[in-house]
Amino acid sequence: MASFVPTSEETLEDLRHYTEDRLVDVACLDCLARVRVKKNSDHQTSVQWSAEARSACQEFVRRDQRPGGRDVHKPCTRLMASIDDAVRAGDVPVGAYDGY
Amino acid sequence: MTDTRMLDQGTTPIRFARGWHCLGLASDFADGKPHAIHGFGTKLVVWQGANGELNVLDGYCRHMGGDLTQGEVKGDHIGCPFHDWRWGGDGKCKEIPYARRVPLRARTQRYETVVRNGQLLIWNDPEGSAADHDILPPELPDVMSDKYTPWSWHTKEINGSHCRELIDNVADMAHFYYVHFAFPTSFRNIFDGHTATQFMESKGRPDTMGGGYGDENSTLKSVATYYGPSYMINWLEVDYKGFVTEVILINCHIPTGPDSFLLQYGITVKKPEGLDEKTCAYIAERYTESFGDGFLQDVAIWENKVAVQNPLLCEEDGPVYQLRRWYEQFYVDVADIAPEMTDRFEFEVDTTKANEYWHAEVAENLAKRAAAEAAAPADA
């Protein structure tokens, strides 16, 4: 059942641009997690996880066993380092196309 | 065919979000009287029974539609002012004083209740599922003890806007400069399962009078997480000239109609060591006032804007499409929740260029102000 319904086909195309375009696969150097990454600039990073990657990340598995609170939502430092490596190796293009 | 970009205003949902919603401080309902809360397109009745339990039902009696919020608490039950049908917190009619028996079908809409961090939360689900206690907001250690000031609680009716406008703020970096007069120096989002978090560090603007986010002497570290569609805990560390205060802000709402909601916010401050009660209360009131002003700054925007289903973004904007994709999970049937609505997503906004431009603009504003002040005596 749809909730917020767009009235134009172009809106669906925008949704695809902003959420799916130019995502590049990056594998974690420490575990089996594979995520999709986009960088619009040196300081901007998007990381799209899947349920499979989320459960492969050992850092998150450890954190999920601790009681909830404000610190459980931070990024995995090992994956962040892996992304930095991939960017340095030129595997993740840096730059935006008209805002996305 | 034209190159002009059109605003798609979309259509708003015809249902209300599934999840926990906060009705206010539990202590405000504990006087043995019925209370009216507008929510989910109806009026709810809230009361505490003689047994101490807080109960929430649809406010209208299933007999002849009498308004239970104008009735009377009788023992554990609420009696209707029209014919005194007595309803229990489980949604069943328990007694009709003038009748031999109660009709078997005398059941009304009830909401499961939980008191968490001193607040009354209820579970809403258009599909009628049992409440999911695994996704309640976390308990806040030491809040409600003498280490923190008591909740300062406030409400504000918002008309003409869907509550998604409020949610959009989670991903909106630049509005902190324009609407709340602060420089966001660091800004990140993480959406994961039923939670959506904003991490922000900001500094007040020296060319404005401040507001919720302080003046040039204050920096703020903020972690704000929505637990479900309507209840946000915002942990704030405010550094004012080296004096650090820990503040917890609850920002929650109840949808009242298709384009209206009741905003509620509460503030508690960790009492700084060495300060007396009166000073702590004073500090808490000042923060309550300034964050209240912050909400009013947002309200002024919402009251005049239109809904946009197709926001046009620049490179410095936050992930509003991904945020709305996350928010959508609460408006579809559980069976229709798509993986991408709950899959973890992380986004770091690049604030470097924006802050360069903003600092230049603020410097220009300060120079203009100085020039105006220098010229003023000559005009007088």
Side-chain angles (χ1 to χ4, degrees), chain B residues 27-331:
Chain B
S27 55
D28 288 345
F29 300 113
D31 56 1
K33 296 193 174 96
H35 296 262
I37 294 275
H38 290 271
F40 311 116
T42 181
K43 182 152 78 169
L44 310 175
V45 60
V46 185
W47 82 96
Q48 186 177 48
N51 59 9
E53 297 267 314
L54 284 168
N55 309 288
V56 182
L57 300 181
D58 184 86
Y60 296 104
C61 183
R62 294 311 193 244
H63 174 221
M64 292 286 282
D67 183 349
L68 297 174
T69 71
Q70 294 174 5
E72 204 179 310
V73 175
K74 296 178 175 174
D76 294 337
H77 309 140
I78 180 77
C80 180
F82 201 177
H83 306 89
D84 202 23
W85 285 37
R86 314 275 177 88
W87 296 89
D90 61 359
K92 292 181 190 164
C93 180
K94 303 293 185 183
E95 190 190 348
I96 303 168
Y98 62 90
R100 263 197 295 279
R101 53 198 284 184
V102 175
L104 291 171
R105 289 179 295 156
R107 284 168 187 248
T108 187
Q109 174 69 46
R110 72 173 284 259
Y111 295 85
E112 271 193 68
T113 61
V114 164
V115 174
R116 172 103 351 160
N117 300 318
Q119 295 139 26
L120 175 62
L121 273 58
I122 63 169
W123 175 258
N124 179 63
D125 183 5
E127 289 184 275
S129 71
D132 186 348
H133 289 79
D134 292 339
I135 57 170
L136 273 166
E139 289 182 49
L140 298 166
D142 294 333
V143 164
M144 309 286 292
S145 79
D146 62 2
K147 290 181 181 163
Y148 280 80
T149 59
W151 287 114
S152 175
W153 199 264
H154 302 270
T155 62
K156 168 95 186 136
E157 269 182 50
I158 312 289
N159 291 302
S161 298
H162 189 275
C163 44
R164 192 176 66 174
E165 301 289 350
L166 173 63
I167 306 294
D168 278 351
N169 278 357
V170 170
D172 192 341
M173 187 275 288
H175 98 289
F176 284 100
Y177 175 82
Y178 295 102
V179 180
H180 302 305
F181 308 125
F183 297 111
T185 50
S186 164
F187 194 98
R188 281 191 295 131
N189 284 124
I190 296 184
F191 314 137
D192 195 355
H194 73 291
T195 65
T197 301
Q198 174 197 82
F199 302 82
M200 183 179 67
E201 294 178 17
S202 68
K203 197 173 181 346
R205 275 172 64 173
D207 61 331
T208 58
M209 291 309 287
Y213 297 82
D215 61 19
E216 61 183 310
N217 293 310
S218 60
T219 56
L220 188 137
K221 281 185 190 168
S222 160
V223 178
T225 299
Y226 266 101
Y227 294 89
S230 77
Y231 187 92
M232 188 187 90
I233 302 177
N234 189 179
W235 289 270
L236 296 148
E237 267 179 39
V238 193
D239 183 328
Y240 185 78
K241 295 182 176 174
F243 185 79
V244 178
T245 312
E246 288 182 42
V247 180
I248 295 177
L249 168 70
I250 301 296
N251 162 14
C252 59
H253 64 272
I254 317 156
T256 48
D259 65 349
S260 60
F261 58 99
L262 181 71
L263 175 68
Q264 302 207 13
Y265 59 96
I267 284 186
T268 182
V269 176
K270 191 172 181 186
K271 295 176 188 170
E273 277 179 39
L275 292 188
D276 60 63
E277 290 295 313
K278 209 176 143 192
T279 312
C280 290
Y282 176 81
I283 291 173
E285 274 320 303
R286 291 290 78 74
Y287 279 120
T288 303
E289 216 169 74
S290 62
F291 284 106
D293 290 348
F295 281 119
L296 295 182
Q297 292 164 339
D298 285 318
V299 170
I301 298 287
W302 297 333
E303 282 181 342
N304 294 287
K305 76 184 288 295
V306 293
V308 186
Q309 205 63 35
N310 61 339
L312 179 63
L313 305 181
C314 67
E315 286 165 43
E316 279 70 20
D317 282 327
V320 67
Y321 281 88
Q322 286 86 350
L323 175 66
R324 289 174 170 195
R325 183 178 67 180
W326 168 84
Y327 188 56
E328 180 90 5
Q329 68 177 292
F330 307 111
Y331 287 85

Side-chain angles (χ1 to χ4, degrees), chain A residues 3 7 11 14 41 47 73, chain B residues 5 8 190 328 346 348 350:
Chain A
S3 58
T7 55
T11 299
D14 278 335
S41 69
V47 183
H73 306 291
Chain B
R5 182 156 178 106
D8 180 356
I190 296 184
E328 180 90 5
E346 303 172 8
E348 177 161 12
D350 184 347

